[in-house]
Amino acid sequence: MRLPFISEKRHHSAKPGKGVQQNTDAEAADMDFSESESLRGLSELYSPEQTSESNIHDIADVLLDMGKINARQLTSLRKKQKENPCSDVSSLLLKIEKISADDIFTAKAKMYGLKFKQVDVEKVDKEAFSKLDIEYIKSNRIMPVEVQGKTKKKLIVVTSRPEDLFVIEDVKSQTQMNVEAFVCADEDIDKVCSKFEGQKGDYNIDDIMDDMADVEVVQDHEDNSEDLEQMAG
């Protein structure tokens, strides 16, 4: 009488064992899937492939946006930069046909949210220029060119180094004025400095000549006095 019961018990106990194994396999599969998803998420988060060339933004990229160069020219430029990492991008760009120095300075200005300004040497305000010492202008490549406004005056400066934001802030501190900065060609700063240095030199020569004339007059007066003394004797 116990044999059927034992048989049923064995049969009954076999089914749960199989079901437990199936559930365990399913749970393991779920765990494997979740772990692989986590690993894949981490790999996507830290994958170095996400650092694309679009993060490298320089004058060449701006010129491409401006339509001054095309994608083929940019690719060729990047290849040359890779072959010679020490090469200057501006020098390489100047070798491209129809790219001028003004185009490069315009692109450089856009990179820093500024505008490019061509400096007319003859129109630079001498009073504005004198707001900074000429040696400071030469060494820091920043130059005042104009004062705008009557009640609330603003100093217009040009620089060939727009990336040097500290210098622009220093000019504000020195002049105690509101400053608006533009980007200019480096040679424009040299031309204006040479002009005002020349004017300063001419002014000093005139002063010296005036002093020499005064000395000569005194000398003539003294000579005449000696002649009168001899005649009286």
Side-chain angles (χ1 to χ4, degrees):
M1 292 298 292
R2 293 181 180 179
L3 290 176
F5 176 76
I6 294 172
S7 176
E8 286 179 6
K9 187 175 181 181
R10 287 179 180 176
H11 183 68
H12 181 72
S13 62
K15 285 182 179 180
K18 185 176 180 181
V20 168
Q21 182 67 32
Q22 288 177 349
N23 290 337
T24 304
D25 293 342
E27 290 175 0
D30 290 340
M31 289 176 64
D32 292 342
F33 178 77
S34 62
E35 287 178 1
S36 63
E37 285 291 328
S38 299
L39 291 173
R40 188 175 69 182
L42 289 172
S43 65
E44 288 178 354
L45 182 62
Y46 296 105
S47 175
E49 293 180 357
Q50 286 202 356
T51 306
S52 62
E53 291 186 357
S54 61
N55 292 331
I56 305 172
H57 197 72
D58 61 6
I59 299 173
D61 294 306
V62 179
L63 288 171
L64 179 67
D65 295 338
M66 293 168 59
K68 294 292 183 178
I69 62 174
N70 55 41
R72 179 181 57 80
Q73 290 171 321
L74 180 62
T75 302
S76 176
L77 179 73
R78 296 301 184 211
K79 184 179 178 182
K80 291 177 181 177
Q81 284 181 304
K82 195 172 182 180
E83 293 171 353
N84 186 8
C86 296
S87 60
D88 179 52
V89 64
S90 298
S91 300
L92 295 175
L93 285 165
L94 285 172
K95 295 178 181 178
I96 299 177
E97 189 178 359
K98 296 182 179 180
I99 294 295
S100 66
D102 286 354
D103 292 330
I104 292 174
F105 280 112
T106 301
K108 193 173 184 179
K110 283 181 175 292
M111 283 184 63
Y112 297 96
L114 301 175
K115 294 180 180 179
F116 173 65
K117 185 179 182 67
Q118 290 182 326
V119 179
D120 187 342
V121 178
E122 301 303 323
K123 292 184 178 179
V124 173
D125 184 11
K126 187 176 181 180
E127 184 180 349
F129 181 85
S130 63
K131 295 288 184 184
L132 294 176
D133 183 74
I134 193 166
E135 294 302 323
Y136 181 90
I137 292 171
K138 286 181 179 179
S139 60
N140 293 283
R141 313 312 294 170
I142 190 166
M143 176 176 69
V145 294
E146 183 184 358
V147 176
Q148 292 183 350
K150 294 182 179 179
T151 55
K152 193 175 182 181
K153 294 184 177 181
K154 178 171 63 176
L155 185 66
I156 306 299
V157 301
V158 292
T159 177
S160 59
R161 298 177 187 171
E163 67 277 6
D164 200 344
L165 301 177
F166 173 78
V167 173
I168 298 175
E169 291 299 319
D170 187 49
V171 171
K172 292 179 182 178
S173 177
Q174 286 193 47
T175 60
Q176 293 295 305
M177 297 179 68
N178 293 321
V179 173
E180 183 176 3
F182 292 83
V183 176
C184 73
D186 207 45
E187 60 183 10
D188 289 345
I189 296 177
D190 293 329
K191 288 179 181 178
V192 176
C193 287
S194 297
K195 174 191 172 183
F196 287 120
E197 274 186 328
Q199 289 182 359
K200 185 178 180 181
D202 293 341
Y203 178 77
N204 290 337
I205 290 172
D206 291 339
D207 288 345
I208 293 170
M209 293 299 292
D210 290 340
D211 292 339
M212 289 177 66
D214 292 339
V215 170
E216 289 176 358
V217 169
V218 171
Q219 186 176 0
D220 290 342
H221 180 70
E222 290 177 354
D223 291 343
N224 292 334
S225 298
E226 290 177 359
D227 292 340
L228 291 172
E229 288 175 359
Q230 289 177 0
M231 290 174 64

